[in-house]
Amino acid sequence: VGLYYSLMDWHHPDGMTCLTDMKARRRYLDYVRGQLNELMSNYGQIDILWYDVPYPMPDAKSWEMSKINGMIRKLQPGIIINDRGHLQEDYATPEENLHAAPTGRAWEAAMTFNGSWGYMDSPDEDYRDARHVLFMLQQVAFSGGNLLLNIGPEPDGSVPPPAVKRLTQVGNWLRDFGGEALYGNVDRAQGLDALCNYVEWTRKGNTAYVWFRHWPGERANLGYFKGTVKKATLLNRKGDKPVKVIQENGTLSLAGLPKTCPDKIMQMAVVKLECASRPRRQMVGHYA
């Protein structure tokens, strides 16, 4: 269970005057603390607290955020808290971009489906298509992050049909062709360089997942690959297909692939590489 909490209250009479009026600030901070105490006390285990809009006060001291979060963690010892209360806390939340946090810090990209956080009567073409959503999933997983994709529900609470269509397509692909490459303990894959817009990567330990954004045909050549591949498999729910591995002169070749991409909707598929050590692919001269 994750709860969104806007620190700014758009209707409270002290919501803006708390910036300059100390009596108003005291009233407003007591109000915020009381709400959060109630949320953390009356509804069972809360896993995530997602702060937003720490306005109008400019810093954690003004919000008494250390005290508030201390109360929250006492009431919910296992909770994780985001960074939008002017404190770093547990994870970073870049918005409308996929900029990764530094290595060692958890992060989650907060993205909209159609450019709006609330409901907007948008034409179908304003929505990110399913292939774009899948690419965002791969990109955040590559850097050890999480994707939060917002849906602005319609006035009756239903999910807009363009979102339903795209999410269904993404869900089907994850089930049939590549969920293994995204779910579970996924490591940062830095050191596995993309190949133009043709190949992307995710990684779990010594296992690399080759994401073919454009299908290569029956053979794929990946230059500058370092690491011994013990086994290669084309992921497919109907039956994983062994792939022939040829490694020579610093090039990894994958042979015996289908002539056409096994996924006819997204035109994207994944080959799993089980390696003897952590795999790398780095362009000569670009990295130390």
Side-chain angles (χ1 to χ4, degrees):
V1 176
L3 299 180
Y4 172 98
Y5 187 84
S6 173
L7 288 161
M8 182 178 75
D9 189 306
W10 298 62
H11 302 285
H12 195 286
D14 296 322
M16 289 299 292
T17 55
C18 63
L19 177 61
T20 55
D21 183 331
M22 292 302 104
K23 290 184 179 180
R25 179 176 298 187
R26 185 70 268 149
R27 290 192 299 266
Y28 190 65
L29 290 177
D30 289 345
Y31 165 76
V32 168
R33 185 182 180 93
Q35 283 195 325
L36 288 167
N37 187 303
E38 178 183 343
L39 290 170
M40 298 298 135
S41 301
N42 295 354
Y43 304 100
Q45 180 176 318
I46 306 300
D47 302 291
I48 300 169
L49 177 59
W50 214 97
Y51 284 129
D52 204 10
V53 201
Y55 189 80
M57 292 187 282
D59 51 41
K61 182 178 179 180
S62 302
W63 281 107
E64 298 181 357
M65 192 55 61
S66 293
K67 291 182 180 179
I68 289 176
N69 286 354
M71 174 196 72
I72 288 168
R73 293 192 186 280
K74 185 175 181 180
L75 294 169
Q76 296 284 344
I79 200 167
I80 61 173
I81 301 174
N82 76 347
D83 63 343
R84 297 197 176 192
H86 290 304
L87 292 176
Q88 289 291 298
E89 291 296 348
D90 296 308
Y91 66 107
T93 55
E95 184 168 322
E96 292 290 57
N97 69 80
L98 305 180
H99 183 71
T103 300
R105 178 155 172 78
W107 66 282
E108 175 181 76
M111 308 293 289
T112 60
F113 224 137
N114 63 343
S116 175
W117 293 106
Y119 173 70
M120 181 179 290
D121 187 12
S122 303
D124 189 86
E125 55 267 26
D126 275 6
Y127 282 81
R128 303 178 193 271
D129 62 34
R131 185 174 162 89
H132 188 177
V133 173
L134 187 58
F135 178 63
M136 289 195 298
L137 281 167
Q138 179 275 321
Q139 288 288 285
V140 296
F142 174 86
S143 295
N146 187 56
L147 178 65
L148 186 157
L149 181 60
N150 178 75
I151 301 167
E154 297 201 27
D156 64 359
S158 62
V159 179
V164 172
K165 177 182 176 181
R166 288 156 172 78
L167 291 174
T168 300
Q169 290 175 331
V170 172
N172 289 342
W173 188 94
L174 292 171
R175 179 195 63 200
D176 293 343
F177 299 106
E180 178 184 333
L182 283 174
Y183 294 129
N185 188 20
V186 181
D187 299 305
R188 292 198 180 212
Q190 275 77 7
L192 283 167
D193 294 344
L195 180 55
C196 300
N197 64 346
Y198 162 53
V199 165
E200 301 283 348
W201 305 86
T202 54
R203 182 178 68 86
K204 293 180 179 180
N206 293 341
T207 298
Y209 295 89
V210 189
W211 292 62
F212 287 104
R213 295 183 64 198
H214 299 283
W215 194 246
E218 295 176 280
R219 180 172 175 136
N221 296 320
L222 306 175
Y224 306 110
F225 185 87
K226 295 180 180 180
T228 301
V229 179
K230 300 189 294 183
K231 182 180 179 181
T233 312
L234 175 64
L235 299 183
N236 192 324
R237 186 172 71 118
K238 296 180 180 179
D240 293 345
K241 177 182 173 60
V243 175
K244 183 178 180 181
V245 176
I246 304 166
Q247 288 190 270
E248 53 187 11
N249 301 322
T251 296
L252 169 65
S253 297
L254 304 175
L257 296 167
K259 290 183 179 180
T260 59
C261 184
D263 170 51
K264 307 306 178 186
I265 304 299
M266 311 277 255
Q267 292 293 317
M268 195 180 303
V270 175
V271 172
K272 177 181 179 180
L273 304 179
E274 298 174 59
C275 303
S277 58
R278 178 178 170 178
R280 305 184 73 84
R281 181 187 181 270
Q282 293 188 305
M283 298 290 288
V284 173
H286 285 233
Y287 297 90

